[in-house]
Amino acid sequence: MSDYRINTKCVQGGYTPGNGEPRQIPIVQSTTFKYATSEDMGKLFDLEASGYFYTRLQNPTNDMVAAKIRDMEGGTAAMLTSSGQAANFYAVFNIANCGDHVVASSTIYGGTYNLFHVTMRKMGIDFTFVSPDCTEGELNAAFRPNTKAVFGETIANPALTVLDIEKFAKAAHDHGVPLIIDNTFATPVNCRPFEWGCDIVTHSTTKYMDGHGAGVGGCIVDSGRFDWMAHKEKFPGLCTPDDSYHGITYAEKFGQSGAFITKATAQLMRDFGSIQSPQNAFLLNLGLESLHVRMPRHCENALAVAKFLKNHPKISFVTYPGLEGDKYYELAQKYMPNGTCGVVSFGFRGGRAAAETFMRHLKLAAIETHVADARTCTLHPASATHRQMNDEELAAAGITPDLVRFSCGIEDAADLIADIEQALAQV
Ligand SMILES: *Cc1c(COP(=O)(O)O)cnc(C)c1O
């Protein structure tokens, strides 16, 4: 499947039925798996043979869907997780321990920021947040001897900043650590970060990949390109024996292509168990089958909405990386020439009150915390997700009281614009 183009991988990747086997991927709704002898099972526990024994760690349905996403991203190994939060936690915690440090972009998704800044700090892992627009000098200055990874988002949710992947990859590699990118908003249809030097990709599959608001999920993909053994002293978890697996050294036994995901499965999934249910994996796969058809429509609709708003007298600003003149337009053209995402944000000359009036009068666009769905959804952060903040705190978070986040679905653009137009008329 890896020789096919992305559109074909979306539809047929990850699973090729044999003679007389089901055309659709089977949902293996089983917690456990039967073996003929204790020796057979023992080999699985020693990671001497590959196979399934308990769905807290691995399930065949999940692995088929993970293999599809792996092929779409152009990686060597992948695993599904129960959520995007779990994917980002595992991706970082797999290589950073208590006493370690990570450099991260400051505009990352609020949930990830909280995970890093509050929860993982309690685990003894420190983070330095740098602006995605920082100079190479500023970026290099953020590294410490105990830095283990660099983290960013291709297109940040909801800030809509675009990461200069090559700049971040170079800094990471100059310091002997991998670059991890959350590619949720772009999806591999619009950007494949591995092609630009990124080492590990994560996803909240809850968004465009599922696409239908049906199941929460996440995914981690390894490019197989990071040479852990060349930086042995930095990554003891991968490069020295694991006592909980009879002294296996992941980077030796599974090589560059398999070490990262095998360790994340064998240790983190075993101990934390944040696995996606096989049912949800099946639904995710249905979403993936049409991702390449939906993404261009999301982008087309968002661009039409952004262009309409840009010239509207009641609108004070429009942020959309696919819109000519946007601060990130050039970077977006470089990394995502076929389109960015469906999310647009904008503000009102009439301030917070105008935004509230606008939201009240929308008919087609639904008010939801969700984004990246087939159905258009929208949020006024100042009165929802960020309502506990005053105007000063909002400003520090890069959100103005009048900002509306508008996630364009795959409906007809003319209907979306008509809905916006009638709501604007009430402002
Ligand atoms: C939603 C989101 C997450 C968190 O994913 P969940 O599936 O909600 O846990 C992480 N990163 C980005 C960019 C997101 O949009």
Side-chain angles (χ1 to χ4, degrees):
M1 208 28 82
S2 53
D3 292 338
Y4 288 101
R5 290 168 180 79
I6 185 88
N7 296 352
T8 305
K9 291 174 181 174
C10 282
V11 184
Q12 294 214 25
Y15 171 63
T16 307
N19 201 25
E21 289 179 356
R23 186 67 194 92
Q24 186 49 278
I25 64 167
I27 304 172
V28 181
Q29 192 67 51
S30 183
T31 58
T32 194
F33 302 82
K34 173 183 173 285
Y35 287 92
T37 69
S38 302
E39 287 71 31
D40 287 347
M41 181 166 274
K43 285 191 189 123
L44 300 178
F45 273 90
D46 287 352
L47 301 180
E48 283 302 327
S50 67
Y52 299 92
F53 52 91
Y54 193 47
T55 290
R56 190 201 324 125
L57 286 89
Q58 265 186 302
N59 175 281
T61 308
N62 291 24
D63 283 355
M64 290 174 218
V65 182
K68 172 179 280 192
I69 299 173
R70 175 200 68 201
D71 288 351
M72 288 163 65
E73 288 285 6
T76 56
M79 69 196 286
L80 297 189
T81 57
S82 57
S83 67
Q85 288 296 105
N88 285 331
F89 172 61
Y90 279 24
V92 174
F93 197 62
N94 206 31
I95 46 176
N97 299 316
C98 182
D100 288 339
H101 171 258
V102 173
V103 176
S105 163
S106 59
T107 56
I108 53 171
Y109 173 67
T112 312
Y113 180 78
N114 224 39
L115 169 69
F116 291 174
H117 183 61
V118 180
T119 302
M120 291 184 78
R121 275 222 168 98
K122 288 182 192 162
M123 304 169 95
I125 302 169
D126 205 5
F127 290 81
T128 298
F129 295 95
V130 295
S131 162
D133 308 331
C134 66
T135 63
E136 274 179 49
E138 287 163 342
L139 186 50
N140 286 326
F143 287 81
R144 300 179 193 165
N146 58 341
T147 302
K148 297 300 166 75
V150 177
F151 186 96
E153 288 175 14
T154 320
I155 307 172
N157 172 16
L160 303 177
T161 57
V162 174
L163 196 75
D164 188 343
I165 303 174
E166 286 186 320
K167 177 177 80 181
F168 276 74
K170 182 175 185 306
H173 297 159
D174 285 350
H175 292 86
V177 302
L179 172 62
I180 304 172
I181 290 188
D182 181 333
N183 195 32
T184 298
F185 263 29
T187 82
V189 169
N190 284 339
C191 181
R192 289 177 296 280
F194 294 159
E195 293 172 3
W196 302 97
C198 166
D199 303 287
I200 289 149
V201 155
T202 61
H203 284 281
S204 165
T205 62
T206 317
K207 313 294 165 52
Y208 291 117
M209 283 188 165
D210 171 296
H212 300 78
V216 171
C219 184
I220 309 172
V221 191
D222 182 9
S223 69
R225 296 215 195 98
F226 193 83
D227 188 353
W228 307 105
M229 286 307 251
H231 307 282
K232 223 170 162 192
E233 70 301 337
K234 275 191 195 291
F235 304 105
L238 285 158
C239 303
T240 58
D242 177 1
D243 291 337
S244 70
Y245 273 109
H246 314 295
I248 281 175
T249 299
Y250 293 100
E252 274 172 2
K253 188 158 176 68
F254 300 99
Q256 236 169 270
S257 60
F260 189 86
I261 294 296
T262 305
K263 177 178 180 290
T265 303
Q267 285 181 345
L268 303 186
M269 214 43 119
R270 177 195 63 189
D271 296 349
F272 293 108
S274 322
I275 197 153
Q276 193 165 131
S277 80
Q279 275 289 338
N280 276 10
F282 176 83
L283 292 171
L284 167 59
N285 187 57
L286 287 182
L288 291 170
E289 288 182 0
S290 64
L291 184 67
H292 60 300
V293 182
R294 288 183 284 112
M295 284 313 289
R297 176 60 78 90
H298 281 292
C299 297
E300 200 181 293
N301 285 357
L303 186 59
V305 164
K307 281 183 174 164
F308 170 79
L309 291 167
K310 184 82 190 160
N311 301 314
H312 199 284
K314 289 179 183 170
I315 296 297
S316 56
F317 70 87
V318 178
T319 304
Y320 183 61
L323 183 68
E324 220 168 322
D326 186 87
K327 187 176 171 193
Y328 294 97
Y329 181 74
E330 278 75 28
L331 274 181
Q333 287 295 303
K334 174 178 172 179
Y335 293 112
M336 292 163 271
N338 298 328
T340 54
C341 67
V343 183
V344 180
S345 65
F346 49 93
F348 294 79
R349 290 200 196 284
R352 179 194 283 260
E356 286 168 355
T357 307
F358 172 78
M359 295 295 285
R360 250 196 314 277
H361 288 92
L362 286 169
K363 293 187 175 120
L364 194 55
I367 298 175
E368 295 172 19
T369 54
H370 193 42
V371 283
D373 190 73
R375 289 145 297 206
T376 295
C377 46
T378 180
L379 184 78
H380 178 222
S383 52
T385 47
H386 295 65
R387 68 178 291 119
Q388 73 283 5
M389 292 185 179
N390 61 34
D391 287 3
E392 273 156 35
E393 288 168 328
L394 281 175
I399 289 165
T400 53
D402 63 327
L403 181 138
V404 165
R405 179 182 76 187
F406 201 86
S407 172
C408 297
I410 54 174
E411 304 93 338
D412 196 305
D415 288 331
L416 295 182
I417 290 171
D419 190 33
I420 291 172
E421 202 166 20
Q422 64 80 26
L424 274 172
Q426 307 293 325
V427 171

